[in-house]
Amino acid sequence: MTVASNKGTEIEPHGPSGKDGSRSPSVWLPPTPAEIERDSLLGRRGEELVYRQELQKVRDMCYAEPERYVIWTSCDEPGADHDIRSINEK
């Protein structure tokens, strides 16, 4: 796992803004297709990081096949009420 710089990836607000450059609180605009895609990719990457951490945690508990115990639920069931299912030491 590595940490990458986010330089140049700042998201610019869209729609009307106030004199100080902030968005007007009374105006709501739906996210653009690009913002929806970005949010989806960000969410998937976050789930991937948690999944990998859980696999390592289960390996550290001496399970030979951690993939049997750590399930990335949202890959197969996007509407599930959880993204990843795992086990604990008990």
Side-chain angles (χ1 to χ4, degrees), residues 26-76:
S26 63
V27 176
W28 179 86
L29 296 173
T32 65
E35 290 171 329
I36 292 169
E37 177 68 18
R38 184 215 51 232
D39 291 349
S40 176
L41 291 172
L42 179 64
R44 182 154 177 87
R45 180 65 176 142
E47 289 176 17
E48 179 184 3
L49 293 172
V50 171
Y51 177 73
R52 289 180 182 205
Q53 288 178 329
E54 284 298 309
L55 287 174
Q56 187 58 53
K57 180 185 84 173
V58 173
R59 276 188 203 96
D60 292 346
M61 293 188 311
C62 299
Y63 285 86
E65 298 178 54
E67 293 83 5
R68 290 180 58 202
Y69 304 97
V70 181
I71 310 299
W72 193 345
T73 309
S74 65
C75 279
D76 296 325

